[in-house]
Short mmCIF file of all heavy atoms in Angstrom, two decimals:
data_model
loop_
_atom_site.label_atom_id
_atom_site.label_comp_id
_atom_site.label_asym_id
_atom_site.label_seq_id
_atom_site.Cartn_x
_atom_site.Cartn_y
_atom_site.Cartn_z
N ASN A 220 1.44 17.09 3.61
CA ASN A 220 2.72 17.17 2.79
C ASN A 220 3.65 16.42 3.67
O ASN A 220 4.85 16.28 3.27
CB ASN A 220 3.06 18.45 2.49
CG ASN A 220 2.11 19.27 1.50
OD1 ASN A 220 1.64 18.53 0.45
ND2 ASN A 220 1.87 20.43 1.66
N ASN A 221 3.24 15.95 4.87
CA ASN A 221 4.29 15.37 5.73
C ASN A 221 4.33 13.86 5.52
O ASN A 221 3.64 13.14 5.97
CB ASN A 221 4.08 15.65 7.21
CG ASN A 221 5.20 15.20 8.15
OD1 ASN A 221 6.11 14.44 7.70
ND2 ASN A 221 5.15 15.63 9.36
N ILE A 222 5.06 13.51 4.36
CA ILE A 222 5.00 12.23 3.75
C ILE A 222 5.69 11.23 4.87
O ILE A 222 5.17 10.13 4.92
CB ILE A 222 5.77 12.04 2.41
CG1 ILE A 222 5.00 12.99 1.47
CG2 ILE A 222 5.76 10.72 1.92
CD1 ILE A 222 3.56 12.73 1.20
N GLU A 223 6.76 11.62 5.40
CA GLU A 223 7.35 10.71 6.41
C GLU A 223 6.44 10.29 7.48
O GLU A 223 6.50 9.03 7.86
CB GLU A 223 8.63 11.44 6.94
CG GLU A 223 9.65 11.78 5.86
CD GLU A 223 10.81 12.46 6.61
OE1 GLU A 223 10.76 12.79 7.77
OE2 GLU A 223 11.93 12.63 5.79
N LYS A 224 5.75 11.14 8.08
CA LYS A 224 4.79 10.76 9.10
C LYS A 224 3.66 9.95 8.59
O LYS A 224 3.12 9.07 9.24
CB LYS A 224 4.33 11.87 9.96
CG LYS A 224 5.37 12.48 10.89
CD LYS A 224 4.83 13.68 11.74
CE LYS A 224 5.91 14.15 12.65
NZ LYS A 224 5.31 15.23 13.51
N LEU A 225 3.08 10.45 7.49
CA LEU A 225 1.96 9.79 6.98
C LEU A 225 2.20 8.45 6.51
O LEU A 225 1.34 7.46 6.59
CB LEU A 225 1.52 10.67 5.68
CG LEU A 225 0.86 12.01 6.04
CD1 LEU A 225 0.59 12.71 4.69
CD2 LEU A 225 -0.44 11.75 6.86
N GLU A 226 3.42 8.23 6.03
CA GLU A 226 3.72 6.75 5.39
C GLU A 226 3.88 5.78 6.64
O GLU A 226 3.84 4.62 6.39
CB GLU A 226 4.87 6.85 4.60
CG GLU A 226 6.13 7.04 5.32
CD GLU A 226 7.46 6.93 4.45
OE1 GLU A 226 7.34 6.75 3.23
OE2 GLU A 226 8.52 7.32 4.87
N SER A 227 3.93 6.39 7.87
CA SER A 227 4.18 5.44 9.11
C SER A 227 2.79 5.03 9.59
O SER A 227 2.69 4.23 10.50
CB SER A 227 4.94 6.20 10.21
OG SER A 227 4.19 7.33 10.69
N LEU A 228 1.68 5.55 9.08
CA LEU A 228 0.42 5.22 9.52
C LEU A 228 0.04 3.83 9.13
O LEU A 228 0.36 3.47 8.08
CB LEU A 228 -0.67 6.29 8.98
CG LEU A 228 -0.52 7.68 9.56
CD1 LEU A 228 -1.55 8.58 8.90
CD2 LEU A 228 -0.71 7.61 11.07
N PRO A 229 -0.63 2.97 10.03
CA PRO A 229 -0.88 1.66 9.75
C PRO A 229 -1.85 1.48 8.55
O PRO A 229 -1.71 0.60 7.68
CB PRO A 229 -1.60 1.12 10.96
CG PRO A 229 -1.17 1.98 12.08
CD PRO A 229 -0.98 3.33 11.47
N GLU A 230 -2.81 2.53 8.38
CA GLU A 230 -3.67 2.46 7.25
C GLU A 230 -3.01 2.67 5.94
O GLU A 230 -3.47 2.09 4.96
CB GLU A 230 -4.75 3.46 7.44
CG GLU A 230 -5.79 3.24 8.68
CD GLU A 230 -5.22 3.68 9.88
OE1 GLU A 230 -4.11 4.17 9.93
OE2 GLU A 230 -5.93 3.66 10.89
N ILE A 231 -2.00 3.40 5.87
CA ILE A 231 -1.23 3.68 4.68
C ILE A 231 -0.24 2.43 4.33
O ILE A 231 -0.12 2.04 3.35
CB ILE A 231 -0.46 5.02 4.71
CG1 ILE A 231 -1.46 6.09 4.71
CG2 ILE A 231 0.54 5.16 3.59
CD1 ILE A 231 -0.89 7.53 4.92
N THR A 232 0.48 2.06 5.44
CA THR A 232 1.47 0.95 5.18
C THR A 232 0.78 -0.21 4.91
O THR A 232 1.55 -1.13 4.29
CB THR A 232 2.28 0.80 6.56
OG1 THR A 232 1.35 0.61 7.61
CG2 THR A 232 3.05 2.13 6.81
N ALA A 233 -0.38 -0.47 5.31
CA ALA A 233 -1.08 -1.61 5.00
C ALA A 233 -1.57 -1.74 3.49
O ALA A 233 -2.00 -2.83 2.97
CB ALA A 233 -2.31 -1.90 5.95
N HIS A 234 -1.65 -0.55 2.76
CA HIS A 234 -2.09 -0.61 1.46
C HIS A 234 -1.08 -1.26 0.43
O HIS A 234 0.06 -1.15 0.55
CB HIS A 234 -2.24 0.85 0.92
CG HIS A 234 -3.12 0.94 -0.23
ND1 HIS A 234 -2.62 1.00 -1.58
CD2 HIS A 234 -4.42 1.05 -0.38
CE1 HIS A 234 -3.44 1.05 -2.44
NE2 HIS A 234 -4.74 1.13 -1.83
N ARG A 235 -1.65 -2.11 -0.48
CA ARG A 235 -0.72 -2.86 -1.29
C ARG A 235 0.08 -2.01 -2.19
O ARG A 235 1.40 -2.37 -2.41
CB ARG A 235 -1.69 -3.88 -2.07
CG ARG A 235 -0.89 -4.74 -2.98
CD ARG A 235 0.01 -5.71 -2.09
NE ARG A 235 0.92 -6.57 -2.93
CZ ARG A 235 0.48 -7.87 -3.36
NH1 ARG A 235 -0.77 -8.30 -2.91
NH2 ARG A 235 1.32 -8.68 -4.03
N GLY A 236 -0.47 -0.98 -2.80
CA GLY A 236 0.29 -0.17 -3.70
C GLY A 236 1.44 0.61 -2.92
O GLY A 236 2.59 0.72 -3.52
N ILE A 237 1.12 1.02 -1.74
CA ILE A 237 2.11 1.63 -0.93
C ILE A 237 3.34 0.65 -0.61
O ILE A 237 4.47 1.08 -0.54
CB ILE A 237 1.59 2.32 0.33
CG1 ILE A 237 0.53 3.24 0.13
CG2 ILE A 237 2.60 3.00 1.28
CD1 ILE A 237 0.99 4.43 -0.84
N GLN A 238 2.86 -0.46 -0.21
CA GLN A 238 3.98 -1.56 0.10
C GLN A 238 4.80 -1.75 -1.16
O GLN A 238 6.07 -1.88 -0.97
CB GLN A 238 3.17 -2.89 0.66
CG GLN A 238 2.52 -2.69 1.89
CD GLN A 238 1.81 -3.97 2.40
OE1 GLN A 238 1.82 -4.98 1.58
NE2 GLN A 238 1.24 -4.05 3.49
N ASP A 239 4.23 -1.79 -2.36
CA ASP A 239 5.02 -2.13 -3.56
C ASP A 239 5.98 -0.96 -3.80
O ASP A 239 7.15 -1.18 -4.22
CB ASP A 239 4.11 -2.35 -4.77
CG ASP A 239 3.38 -3.71 -4.68
OD1 ASP A 239 3.66 -4.52 -3.80
OD2 ASP A 239 2.27 -3.86 -5.22
N ALA A 240 5.47 0.27 -3.65
CA ALA A 240 6.21 1.49 -3.91
C ALA A 240 7.34 1.58 -2.91
O ALA A 240 8.51 1.92 -3.15
CB ALA A 240 5.40 2.75 -3.79
N LYS A 241 7.19 1.23 -1.67
CA LYS A 241 8.09 1.16 -0.62
C LYS A 241 9.17 0.20 -0.93
O LYS A 241 10.46 0.45 -0.72
CB LYS A 241 7.49 0.98 0.73
CG LYS A 241 6.63 2.21 1.28
CD LYS A 241 6.34 2.06 2.64
CE LYS A 241 7.41 2.38 3.61
NZ LYS A 241 6.90 2.26 4.99
N ASN A 242 8.72 -1.08 -1.43
CA ASN A 242 9.81 -2.20 -1.72
C ASN A 242 10.62 -1.60 -2.97
O ASN A 242 11.81 -1.84 -2.87
CB ASN A 242 9.03 -3.38 -2.08
CG ASN A 242 8.24 -4.01 -0.82
OD1 ASN A 242 8.73 -3.82 0.27
ND2 ASN A 242 7.15 -4.74 -1.21
N GLN A 243 10.08 -1.03 -3.84
CA GLN A 243 10.73 -0.43 -5.09
C GLN A 243 11.78 0.59 -4.63
O GLN A 243 12.95 0.69 -4.96
CB GLN A 243 9.89 0.23 -6.14
CG GLN A 243 10.56 0.52 -7.41
CD GLN A 243 11.25 -0.67 -8.22
OE1 GLN A 243 10.59 -1.71 -8.12
NE2 GLN A 243 12.29 -0.38 -8.85
N LEU A 244 11.34 1.40 -3.55
CA LEU A 244 12.19 2.34 -3.16
C LEU A 244 13.44 1.79 -2.40
O LEU A 244 14.60 2.34 -2.44
CB LEU A 244 11.45 3.37 -2.06
CG LEU A 244 12.23 4.42 -1.49
CD1 LEU A 244 12.81 5.42 -2.51
CD2 LEU A 244 11.19 5.16 -0.42
N ILE A 245 13.16 0.82 -1.68
CA ILE A 245 14.18 0.23 -0.84
C ILE A 245 15.32 -0.46 -1.86
O ILE A 245 16.51 -0.29 -1.69
CB ILE A 245 13.70 -0.88 0.12
CG1 ILE A 245 12.84 -0.27 1.24
CG2 ILE A 245 14.74 -1.72 0.63
CD1 ILE A 245 11.98 -1.29 1.97
N LEU A 246 14.72 -1.13 -2.85
CA LEU A 246 15.70 -1.76 -3.86
C LEU A 246 16.51 -0.63 -4.62
O LEU A 246 17.72 -0.75 -4.84
CB LEU A 246 14.88 -2.45 -4.92
CG LEU A 246 14.17 -3.83 -4.27
CD1 LEU A 246 13.35 -4.48 -5.46
CD2 LEU A 246 15.24 -4.76 -3.81
#
């Protein structure tokens, strides 16, 4: 449930869906 630490992992940040979701979040 620790999304903040999990989303910093290279395996997660490298996923295309995660990258799109994070870009949408930033916008």
Side-chain angles (χ1 to χ4, degrees):
N220 294 322
N221 193 348
I222 300 301
E223 295 179 355
K224 290 185 176 181
L225 292 176
E226 68 179 357
S227 64
L228 294 175
E230 290 82 356
I231 294 177
T232 56
H234 194 272
R235 183 65 180 270
I237 301 299
Q238 291 178 355
D239 293 341
K241 290 185 74 174
N242 292 333
Q243 186 65 33
L244 177 61
I245 293 170
L246 293 174

